[in-house]
Amino acid sequence: MSLKTILEQKLVKQAFKILPKLPKKGLKVLVDRVAPEIERRKIANLGQFLGLIERFSSITNKNCQEKFLENFVLQGMIENQKIRNELKKQGQPAMYSILISPTMRCNLNCIGCYAKYYQKKDDLPYEVIDRVLKEAKKLGILIFTILGGEPFLREDLFDLYKKHSDAYFQVFSNSTLIDEKLAKKLVDCGNVVVEFSIEGFKERDDERRGKGHFEKAMKAMDILKNYGVPFGYSVCVTRKNAEEVMSNKFIELMIEKGALIGWHFLYMPVCGDKNTELMPSPEQRNWMRQRKDYIKENYPLFIIDFWNDAPYVGGCISGKYYCHINNFGDVEPCIFTHFAQVNIKNTTLKEAINCQFFKEIRKRQPFCQNLYLPCPLIDNPWASRIFLKTPGVYPTHPGAKTLIEDLIEDIDRYSQGVH
C-alpha cells in the first residue's frame, strides 16, 4: 500500500468523524466556494448529508465502518477510478459494479414471484463466482451486488466475502434467515451491507410476502442494528403501495429501525405477467420525483430511485456502468432485462461486457433527452425492440418475451403517458 493511499484513508476516516460536528452554515459556504455548480446540485441538502454521516458513524461497528471507507469509498470509488479512466481511453466500458444472482431459490412463496421454480442444481457454482470477482477486480470493480432468490441460503458465500476482503458486497435479502449467528458472521466480514426487501407496512407487506413477514423483517433490522451491521431496505414500488412507502410515517419507521439506505425500484412485468396494472401510473411517477427530493432534503436517509435519480448518472446505465449475471451464468445488461448474448461460464468477464449486445445498448444511451425517462423497456420501448434483435441474443427467463411481444400496445400507451 502506497503512502498516498494510507494518507487518503486517514483523511477520509477523519472526515467522517469531524464533518457532522462542524457548523452546517460554515460547511455550506465552504461547499459553495470549492464545489463546481453541477456537483453542488447533486447534494440535495447538506444538513441531510451530514446527518446521514453522523448516523453511519454512531450506529455502525468499527470493522464495518473501516471496510466501507476503505473498500467502497477509497478503493472502489476513488483509487480504482484510475483503472476506469484508462479503460475509457482504450474505448472499453468502465464498470463500477457487477450484480450477481448466485441462486434463485427462496424460502418464501411471494405472490407473483418465480423463485419457487428453482432448485439447488440451478445455482451458480462457487468457482465461477470466485473467478468473476477476480476478473472484475482487474477491471477496477470492487463493488458487488448479490441478489436472488434469497442469497443467505448460500452459506458458502461467506467464504467469498472473507476471501475477497478487499471488495464490498451489497446483499438483497428477504430478512427471514437473519439471526444473531448470521449477524456475528457479518460483523466478522465487515464488507457486507444488507438490503431488506419490504412492500410497506404490515398489511401491505404480509399480503405479498406471506403472513408474519413484516414482523420478521422488523426483528431482522433490530438484530443488525444491535450488532452495528449497516443495512437498508428495498421496495418494489407499485400502483398500490407508492404513496405508502414514500410517506413520512414509513420513512421515519425505517430510520428508527436503523436503515441508512432506501432503494426504490418500479414494478415492471418482465417475468411473464401479461398486464401492466401494477406499474406506477405516470402521475404517481411524477409525484414520486417530488417526494424523493423532499425525503432527501428532510431525512438523514440515502434514497436511491433508479428512475428519478437517472439524471445524476446520464440516464440508463445498464451494460455501461453495471451488468447482471444470473444463476445460470447468463450475462444480462440489467436485472430487469432478461436477455443475454453470452454466458460467463464460457467467456471472461471482459469479453462478456464487450459483447455486441452490450455495445448496441451503449451506443444508444441515453435513450431520451429527458433523463427522467431512462428505461429502454418501459419509457423508450423502441430502443429495446432494436437492440434485442442483435444476432445471438436469447431470453434468459420464461416469460421474458411477454414484455416485447404480448404487451406492446400497453407499454407504448404507458410510455406516451410518462413525462
Side-chain angles (χ1 to χ4, degrees):
M1 185 181 297
S2 68
L3 177 60
K4 180 175 179 291
T5 300
I6 294 174
L7 292 175
E8 285 178 341
Q9 289 180 353
K10 290 184 177 181
L11 179 62
V12 171
K13 290 177 182 178
Q14 287 301 315
F16 266 73
K17 292 179 182 179
I18 296 173
L19 281 175
K21 300 177 182 179
L22 296 178
K24 293 180 175 57
K25 184 176 180 181
L27 278 171
K28 187 177 188 306
V29 173
L30 178 63
V31 171
D32 287 343
R33 287 183 178 180
V34 303
E37 183 179 353
I38 189 171
E39 293 300 320
R40 291 206 304 271
R41 288 202 300 266
K42 292 182 181 181
I43 303 176
N45 181 279
L46 187 60
Q48 178 269 355
F49 177 69
L50 295 176
L52 180 60
I53 295 179
E54 187 173 23
R55 290 186 63 227
F56 171 81
S57 301
S58 63
I59 67 178
T60 307
N61 77 70
K62 185 178 180 181
N63 189 39
C64 291
Q65 281 186 25
E66 291 186 347
K67 286 293 185 181
F68 173 76
L69 296 176
E70 293 173 7
N71 297 6
F72 185 96
V73 179
L74 284 168
Q75 293 299 325
M77 299 303 293
I78 299 176
E79 284 295 316
N80 280 15
Q81 187 59 40
K82 300 172 186 175
I83 300 176
R84 290 188 286 269
N85 288 340
E86 185 58 35
L87 288 170
K88 288 179 180 179
K89 290 180 182 178
Q90 299 171 10
Q92 302 292 317
M95 295 198 171
Y96 285 81
S97 180
I98 301 294
L99 283 57
I100 306 174
S101 292
T103 183
M104 286 307 297
R105 291 180 291 129
C106 187
N107 58 325
L108 295 183
N109 187 18
C110 301
I111 295 175
C113 185
Y114 46 80
K116 62 184 177 181
Y117 299 111
Y118 290 89
Q119 303 174 40
K120 190 172 183 179
K121 65 180 179 63
D122 299 321
D123 288 357
L124 191 63
Y126 176 98
E127 295 76 16
V128 175
I129 305 173
D130 185 36
R131 173 174 64 82
V132 169
L133 299 183
K134 291 176 181 176
E135 293 178 1
K137 286 194 258 186
K138 293 180 180 179
L139 298 175
I141 304 167
L142 283 176
I143 302 167
F144 303 94
T145 296
I146 307 300
L147 304 160
E150 173 49 50
F152 286 122
L153 286 172
R154 291 278 304 262
E155 294 185 9
D156 59 341
L157 294 183
F158 278 96
D159 295 331
L160 282 172
Y161 304 150
K162 295 287 286 185
K163 182 176 182 179
H164 297 275
S165 60
D166 58 339
Y168 200 77
F169 299 89
Q170 176 181 222
V171 180
F172 282 74
S173 169
N174 65 31
S175 77
T176 60
L177 299 179
I178 300 289
D179 55 19
E180 295 206 5
K181 180 180 178 181
L182 193 145
K184 290 177 182 177
K185 293 171 72 173
L186 290 170
V187 169
D188 186 44
C189 290
N191 59 341
V192 181
V193 59
V194 180
E195 311 292 355
F196 293 119
S197 298
I198 193 166
E199 308 296 320
F201 291 115
K202 181 178 175 59
E203 182 179 356
R204 183 80 62 192
D205 188 63
D206 284 2
E207 178 185 7
R208 171 123 194 269
R209 296 185 171 271
K211 186 176 181 180
H213 177 266
F214 182 79
E215 293 303 326
K216 291 177 182 177
M218 295 300 100
K219 181 179 179 180
M221 290 182 183
D222 289 340
I223 291 174
L224 293 197
K225 182 180 180 180
N226 184 51
Y227 278 88
V229 176
F231 69 87
Y233 66 93
S234 171
V235 174
C236 177
V237 184
T238 70
R239 196 165 300 192
K240 292 182 177 181
N241 71 353
E243 287 77 14
E244 183 171 313
V245 298
M246 299 193 76
S247 67
N248 289 358
K249 187 176 180 181
F250 184 78
I251 297 299
E252 288 164 4
L253 173 63
M254 293 296 99
I255 292 174
E256 177 189 337
K257 302 304 287 187
L260 296 166
I261 311 167
W263 286 92
H264 290 174
F265 300 95
L266 297 187
Y267 167 82
M268 298 199 296
V270 296
C271 297
D273 188 356
K274 295 189 177 183
N275 70 76
T276 58
E277 294 177 0
L278 278 179
M279 295 174 67
S281 68
E283 293 75 20
Q284 284 178 313
R285 282 181 62 174
N286 289 331
W287 174 82
M288 287 170 61
R289 185 186 312 161
Q290 298 171 1
R291 278 296 299 171
K292 179 261 302 181
D293 291 339
Y294 175 85
I295 292 168
K296 286 186 174 183
E297 292 171 1
N298 292 277
Y299 290 102
L301 181 73
F302 190 62
I303 290 288
I304 305 170
D305 183 324
F306 245 50
W307 278 256
N308 289 322
D309 281 330
Y312 296 149
V313 292
C316 173
I317 58 174
S318 65
K320 180 180 181 181
Y321 293 144
Y322 78 94
C323 67
H324 174 242
I325 301 174
N326 71 12
N327 61 301
F328 292 116
D330 300 309
V331 186
E332 305 168 336
C334 84
I335 189 65
F336 299 107
T337 307
H338 293 162
F339 293 86
Q341 190 180 41
V342 296
N343 190 289
I344 201 63
K345 295 176 183 178
N346 307 317
T347 187
T348 67
L349 180 62
K350 186 175 182 179
E351 291 169 339
I353 61 180
N354 274 291
C355 70
Q356 190 59 38
F357 181 34
F358 280 24
K359 289 179 180 179
E360 293 295 326
I361 294 174
R362 288 193 291 265
K363 76 180 185 182
R364 292 176 172 82
Q365 293 169 329
F367 303 107
C368 180
Q369 290 185 340
N370 182 350
L371 298 182
Y372 284 110
L373 306 177
C375 184
L377 295 179
I378 63 172
D379 297 332
N380 307 282
W382 62 268
S384 60
R385 290 166 194 165
I386 294 175
F387 63 64
L388 288 176
K389 292 181 180 179
T390 304
V393 170
Y394 57 90
T396 57
H397 189 278
K401 290 185 177 182
T402 299
L403 188 72
I404 60 172
E405 291 183 354
D406 301 321
L407 294 175
I408 290 179
E409 292 184 5
D410 289 343
I411 294 300
D412 283 347
R413 187 162 46 249
Y414 180 88
S415 67
Q416 292 164 11
V418 294
H419 52 82

